[in-house]
Amino acid sequence: MSMNWMVLLLCLVLVLVQGLERRGGLVAAVTLRTRERRPDPSDGAGMARWLVSQNDWGVLSTISIHLGGSPWGNIASFSDGELGNSTGTPFFYLSKLDPTPNDLERDPRCSFSLSEAPIGTCGSTDVENPTCARLTLTGKLMIMQVIQVTSADELDLAAQAMFSKHPEMQGWPKGHKFRFYKFIILDIFLIDYYGGAVPLTVDEYYKSSKQTLHTL
Amino acid sequence: MSMNWMVLLLCLVLVLVQGLERRGGLVAAVTLRTRERRPDPSDGAGMARWLVSQNDWGVLSTISIHLGGSPWGNIASFSDGELGNSTGTPFFYLSKLDPTPNDLERDPRCSFSLSEAPIGTCGSTDVENPTCARLTLTGKLMIMQVIQVTSADELDLAAQAMFSKHPEMQGWPKGHKFRFYKFIILDIFLIDYYGGAVPLTVDEYYKSSKQTLHTL
């Protein structure tokens, strides 16, 4: 019987490991990566900050030059800080060869859109269902030049934010003229439950003290 | 010993089932759902059609009314046909309570942006890396009314396309005034490898005969 129990125990461990791995739990356990818990939908500011801190890509929309003023959305990686040290401000690392930076030179107005879906917490709920949260930040996307809108410290923060979540970017070719950009938020559109968009000011967003970190 | 083997067999089946489930294989095996193979990046038209047929959400960008003409991106579910029966034309089911349909009434110009990331085939490659494909369709998003741009057959096609990939939408509240929309593609921006955007016309996109279906 002892052989039976050993086989059973071994198999149960295998099943458990696979289950954990499927939910991303094993990776988290191994790397001790922390992840913020999903806030309650009644906490709009916390939810918006959570969507920004847990996602690592979204869509930047500009007024296009190459398509005569049509709105134009581009997939972009971003980071608002290292994991567990979110600032709320999305930073970007964009190549001058992409249309987006050229559009911004003429008109810095921009929106940045995120879904909860890539975080993996919507389950089988449709992405357009209000309970799968979605966020659009609207404002201006500014190039970070020390002489212009940015201090050297802030540029370091942007680099640390981006390269910690997107490590391969550090090796991307210099010839492609990648530069750091900072999103200046002027309006927040958040849907995270039934009943329409959540009223949320930029001030409330930045003051959110949601810090319920936990290790998965 | 026969008891040992039974226990071992049972556990192996459990491990196998979990492994299959993790890769989406079990669902595919049960529903006989087919999924198209990722095209070679040299086949730009095939890649663009694949991104549209395999994704089920993206970002719709319009010129906003509520934010004074700023570009504004909204997360939206879509479908270009039932799985295995792709048309290339993205259809949407949008509520009049959302800002997007109101923006479209004044200016139908729109872009629709997709990443390969949600399909799950980018692995650990950064979403902004050119080998993780991204696509922006630009054109007009038109409401589907039989008297206007649409035949009754086309409206049926849109409903079948949307409800097959987003089944819960059929039960969404009538009071929210959901309507079908059809994307009229005028420009295609595709990045699927190093070397910049792939030259691709709308005609080439629609003529793509990529039909390498396979069951997972």
Side-chain angles (χ1 to χ4, degrees), chain B residues 144-166:
Chain B
M144 296 180 74
Q145 291 170 324
V146 174
I147 49 167
Q148 204 170 323
V149 292
T150 307
S151 67
D153 282 352
E154 195 178 40
L155 201 56
D156 286 345
L157 172 68
Q160 183 61 25
M162 285 305 291
F163 295 153
S164 64
K165 284 189 182 168
H166 306 275

Side-chain angles (χ1 to χ4, degrees), chain A residues 3-4 11 15 18-19 61 63 68 70-73 77 93 98 109 111 113 126 128-129 134 136 138 166 168, chain B residues 3-4 11 15 18-19 59 61 63 68 70-73 77 93 98 109 111 113 126 128-129 134 136 138 166 168:
Chain A
M3 178 66 178
N4 267 350
C11 288
V15 169
Q18 284 211 337
S61 303
I63 302 290
S70 174
W72 196 79
S77 293
Y93 191 58
D98 238 19
R109 290 180 302 170
S111 89
S113 307
D126 198 277
E128 206 176 294
N129 183 311
R134 59 186 198 263
T136 299
T138 309
H166 306 276
E168 68 171 79
Chain B
M3 180 64 178
N4 268 349
C11 288
V15 170
Q18 284 210 338
V59 173
S61 302
I63 303 289
S70 173
W72 197 80
S77 293
Y93 190 58
D98 238 18
R109 289 180 302 170
S111 90
S113 307
D126 199 275
E128 207 176 293
N129 182 311
R134 58 186 198 263
T136 300
T138 309
H166 306 275
E168 67 172 79

Side-chain angles (χ1 to χ4, degrees), chain A:
Chain A
M1 276 303 278
S2 67
M3 178 66 178
N4 267 350
W5 287 114
M6 275 180 60
V7 171
L8 188 61
L9 192 66
L10 181 69
C11 288
L12 280 178
V13 166
L14 272 174
V15 169
L16 193 66
V17 162
Q18 284 211 337
L20 271 175
E21 198 183 350
R22 194 169 74 243
R23 299 208 320 270
L26 184 65
V27 176
V30 169
T31 61
L32 291 176
R33 172 178 163 179
T34 54
R35 188 174 273 269
E36 281 181 51
R37 197 187 302 275
R38 186 186 199 267
D40 189 86
S42 62
D43 175 14
M47 182 66 83
R49 290 291 298 269
W50 179 77
L51 288 167
V52 170
S53 71
Q54 302 302 301
N55 267 300
D56 60 8
W57 66 275
V59 173
L60 279 176
S61 303
T62 51
I63 302 290
S64 68
I65 293 175
H66 74 294
L67 291 169
S70 174
W72 196 79
N74 201 3
I75 303 289
S77 293
F78 81 104
S79 168
D80 80 329
E82 295 178 83
L83 265 180
N85 198 16
S86 140
T87 65
T89 297
F91 297 107
F92 297 83
Y93 191 58
L94 303 174
S95 164
K96 187 85 174 70
L97 304 185
D98 238 19
T100 304
N102 292 318
D103 292 349
L104 293 169
E105 274 184 25
R106 192 159 76 180
D107 188 341
R109 290 180 302 170
C110 188
S111 89
F112 186 51
S113 307
L114 296 172
S115 167
E116 184 184 344
I119 303 173
T121 39
C122 286
S124 62
T125 302
D126 198 277
V127 172
E128 206 176 294
N129 183 311
T131 63
C132 178
R134 59 186 198 263
L135 177 73
T136 299
L137 306 175
T138 309
K140 294 181 178 183
L141 189 55
M142 309 300 285
I143 191 165
M144 296 181 75
Q145 290 169 325
V146 174
I147 48 166
Q148 205 170 322
V149 292
T150 307
S151 67
D153 282 353
E154 196 177 41
L155 201 55
D156 286 345
L157 173 68
Q160 183 60 25
M162 285 306 291
F163 294 153
S164 65
K165 284 188 182 168
H166 306 276
E168 68 171 79
M169 282 182 162
Q170 280 185 277
W172 285 5
K174 300 292 171 211
H176 285 207
K177 297 182 183 168
F178 282 95
R179 288 173 189 165
F180 291 102
Y181 288 79
K182 170 188 175 180
F183 201 99
I184 296 168
I185 306 171
L186 299 174
D187 182 85
I188 300 172
F189 174 89
L190 170 69
I191 302 266
D192 67 356
Y193 202 67
Y194 308 108
V198 179
L200 179 58
T201 68
V202 177
D203 198 42
E204 288 164 346
Y205 171 86
Y206 274 111
K207 282 189 177 152
S208 171
S209 59
K210 194 83 195 170
Q211 290 295 343
T212 51
L213 291 175
H214 73 123
T215 306
L216 278 178

